[in-house]
């Protein structure tokens, strides 16, 4: 089990503390390590100490070389993974006042909006997209000019 833990650690680029947490959190990691739900997970110091012993005895390189060759023979290619927190978080909803809605429908920026609120409420359809189109048009025409002049 202690040899399999650094495999997870290397594939997911985890610190010792994160390794301990992720093993506690993810049942697939526990299953890979051969742990049951009720089994205790070694703490981060245990992982660190085991790795340091492997390094001290000079066996970590040969162990991983052997492990990687077995993966290669089996046709398994290990790629790095990412652990992503995909939690849903409630955020406050911002609502326009009736007067602001009226000004927006008239194509105006509400006069009550301060600089910070303007930055949050940029109208992509009317502001960002035309800017992008203008940039792309200019970039394309510059590219065509360069090609014509060669």
């Amino acid at each position: 089990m202690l040899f399999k833990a650094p495999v997870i650690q290397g594939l997911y680029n985890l610190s010792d503390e994160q390794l301990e947490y992720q093993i506690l959190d993810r049942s697939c990691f526990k299953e890979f390590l051969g742990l049951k739900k009720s089994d205790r997970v070694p703490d981060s110091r245990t992982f660190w100490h085991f790795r340091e012993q492997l390094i001290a005895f000079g066996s970590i390189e040969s162990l991983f070389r052997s492990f990687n060759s077995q993966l290669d023979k089996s046709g398994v290619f290990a790629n790095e993974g990412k652990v992503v927190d995909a939690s849903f978080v409630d955020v406050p909803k911002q609502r326009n006042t009736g007067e602001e809605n009226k000004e927006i429908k008239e194509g105006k920026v509400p006069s009550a909006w301060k600089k910070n609120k303007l930055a949050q409420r940029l109208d992509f359809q009317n502001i960002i997209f035309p800017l992008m189109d203008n940039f792309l048009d200019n970039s394309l025409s510059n590219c065509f000019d360069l090609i014509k002049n060669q």
Side-chain angles (χ1 to χ4, degrees):
M1 191 271 305
L2 282 177
F3 178 71
K4 288 181 178 180
V7 172
I8 293 173
Q9 192 172 24
L11 288 174
Y12 289 91
N13 195 23
L14 301 172
S15 67
D16 294 334
E17 290 78 15
Q18 271 295 311
L19 177 62
E20 177 187 355
Y21 174 79
Q22 294 298 336
I23 292 170
L24 286 167
D25 187 56
R26 303 192 181 276
S27 60
C28 61
F29 285 1
K30 279 189 175 183
E31 185 179 325
F32 175 73
L33 296 173
L35 296 172
K36 295 180 230 148
K37 285 184 180 182
S38 59
D39 289 341
R40 289 181 48 131
V41 173
D43 66 351
S44 59
R45 280 293 284 169
T46 304
F47 296 126
W48 175 84
H49 184 67
F50 178 72
R51 185 178 56 251
E52 290 301 311
Q53 284 182 321
L54 288 176
I55 292 169
F57 291 120
S59 56
I60 195 164
E61 294 293 328
S62 62
L63 282 172
F64 273 98
R65 224 181 350 266
S66 172
F67 176 71
N68 285 333
S69 70
Q70 288 183 14
L71 287 178
D72 291 343
K73 287 176 190 173
S74 301
V76 175
F77 300 99
N79 293 319
E80 284 188 13
K82 299 283 185 235
V83 177
V84 178
D85 178 12
S87 303
F88 288 100
V89 180
D90 289 327
V91 295
K93 294 181 179 149
Q94 297 181 3
R95 305 263 189 245
N96 295 331
T97 65
E99 185 61 36
E100 289 172 337
N101 283 336
K102 184 178 175 187
E103 289 183 58
I104 292 169
K105 286 179 183 176
E106 293 172 357
K108 300 176 186 171
V109 175
S111 55
W113 285 7
K114 302 271 189 271
K115 182 180 177 182
N116 291 341
K117 195 168 187 176
L118 277 172
Q120 294 173 0
R121 302 278 182 117
L122 281 177
D123 181 1
F124 277 82
Q125 196 67 34
N126 296 325
I127 298 172
I128 300 298
F129 290 159
L131 288 174
M132 287 173 55
D133 288 342
N134 186 29
F135 171 77
L136 290 173
D137 288 344
N138 288 335
S139 297
L140 288 174
S141 67
N142 289 341
C143 287
F144 289 132
D145 290 342
L146 287 172
I147 292 169
K148 286 179 191 174
N149 293 332
Q150 286 185 347

